[in-house]
Amino acid sequence: WRIVVSLRDDIMLIFLCGADSYRRQRKLQEIVAQYVKKHGVYTVQSFDCEDDDAWSRLAAAATAPSLFGSAQLFIVRNYFPVPEKLEKQADAFLRAVLTVPYATFVVVADDIPKKKFAFVASAPALVQEFAMLAGLAFETFIKQEASRLHARLTPTLLQSLAFVYRGDSWGVVTELERFSLGGEIAVSQTSTTNVFASAGVLASGQSLDRALPLLERLLAREDSAYIFNC
């Protein structure tokens, strides 16, 4: 899942998007760390466009050279969706950003913007999209995070975590962090394994006489939403 960004001096706009906010945030942290190592901590500024004065501060910062050197990194959150009354200003700002020689702007958003602002997701901007992981990709992510945290997982526990969290990277990493510190995984391996097996029987086209009692036992022990999403 790891996507490497080489933060070259000629990249003026980086767009990080996608519903997987955990991996998106990790990538942002990597970019900031790389930038700070090269240019120093005082060259990084962060803006949340939901703040009342964020737009004016952002515009001012983008046109004012840094007191601590020529290079600057601006992290911009909640730029999209742009309020209708600010669309012209926002459009002009983003296009101007691409020509600012001393600054790199990192725009963080859940989705790629449509229509007028779609150009931020194309060259010369550098785009990184972090969609929700599923299936084997999510299991691979869990393995990598478990390795990073020195949390040893059995194949059954890995399968259980992937099934219960279903792409929720924040949730599964929180569980792994607790496990790595000596806690217990909250997922019941036996319960989940039984659900898998029972769901397989139900899906295999068994007779109604056998299927109904099995379904009743499952519903008595497990959450109904959990069963029917199996």
Side-chain angles (χ1 to χ4, degrees):
W1 68 274
R2 188 171 182 274
I3 304 175
V4 178
V5 172
S6 177
L7 196 58
R8 306 191 311 270
D9 290 334
D10 60 333
I11 296 176
M12 304 305 173
L13 178 61
I14 300 174
F15 185 51
L16 303 180
C17 61
D20 193 334
S21 60
Y22 173 81
R23 293 187 300 127
R24 195 179 66 198
Q25 180 65 19
R26 284 281 301 275
K27 178 51 61 183
L28 177 61
Q29 291 171 347
E30 289 179 19
I31 292 172
V32 171
Q34 187 176 349
Y35 205 89
V36 167
K37 183 177 180 180
K38 186 174 183 180
H39 299 291
V41 67
Y42 296 110
T43 63
V44 179
Q45 298 186 57
S46 183
F47 300 86
D48 188 332
C49 289
E50 289 186 345
D51 296 340
D52 293 338
D53 62 343
W55 291 84
S56 58
R57 290 192 300 109
L58 184 57
T63 57
S66 170
L67 296 176
F68 302 98
S70 58
Q72 295 183 80
L73 180 69
F74 298 100
I75 302 165
V76 185
R77 295 181 174 87
N78 295 311
Y79 197 87
F80 303 107
V82 176
E84 186 175 351
K85 64 180 181 179
L86 295 174
E87 282 189 352
K88 289 185 178 179
Q89 176 185 344
D91 180 73
F93 172 78
L94 285 174
R95 294 184 187 279
V97 159
L98 296 174
T99 66
V100 178
Y102 55 83
T104 296
F105 290 80
V106 182
V107 178
V108 183
D110 289 337
D111 302 303
I112 294 177
K114 304 292 192 298
K115 298 179 181 178
K116 181 179 291 186
F117 297 99
F119 68 89
V120 303
S122 58
L126 180 62
V127 182
Q128 302 275 304
E129 184 171 5
F130 300 91
M132 298 293 286
L133 298 176
L136 183 58
F138 188 51
E139 289 191 11
T140 299
F141 166 77
I142 295 174
K143 288 179 182 178
Q144 291 173 341
E145 288 298 296
S147 176
R148 179 179 68 83
L149 294 167
H150 306 290
R152 299 183 64 181
L153 300 180
T154 65
T156 300
L157 187 51
L158 171 64
Q159 187 183 43
S160 298
L161 287 169
F163 177 77
V164 171
Y165 286 97
R166 298 183 180 224
D168 178 5
S169 52
W170 280 109
V172 77
V173 170
T174 299
E175 196 71 54
L176 289 172
E177 287 174 343
R178 183 173 63 176
F179 186 50
S180 69
L181 294 174
E184 294 184 358
I185 294 287
V187 177
S188 170
Q189 297 184 48
T190 304
S191 174
T192 305
T193 303
N194 287 340
V195 170
F196 279 128
S198 300
V201 171
L202 291 171
S204 65
Q206 295 292 328
S207 68
L208 189 61
D209 289 341
R210 184 182 178 192
L212 282 178
L214 177 58
L215 182 58
E216 288 173 355
R217 289 197 299 272
L218 280 173
L219 290 174
R221 296 198 312 267
E222 305 287 347
D223 177 73
S224 60
Y226 180 77
I227 297 300
F228 288 106
N229 284 326
C230 182

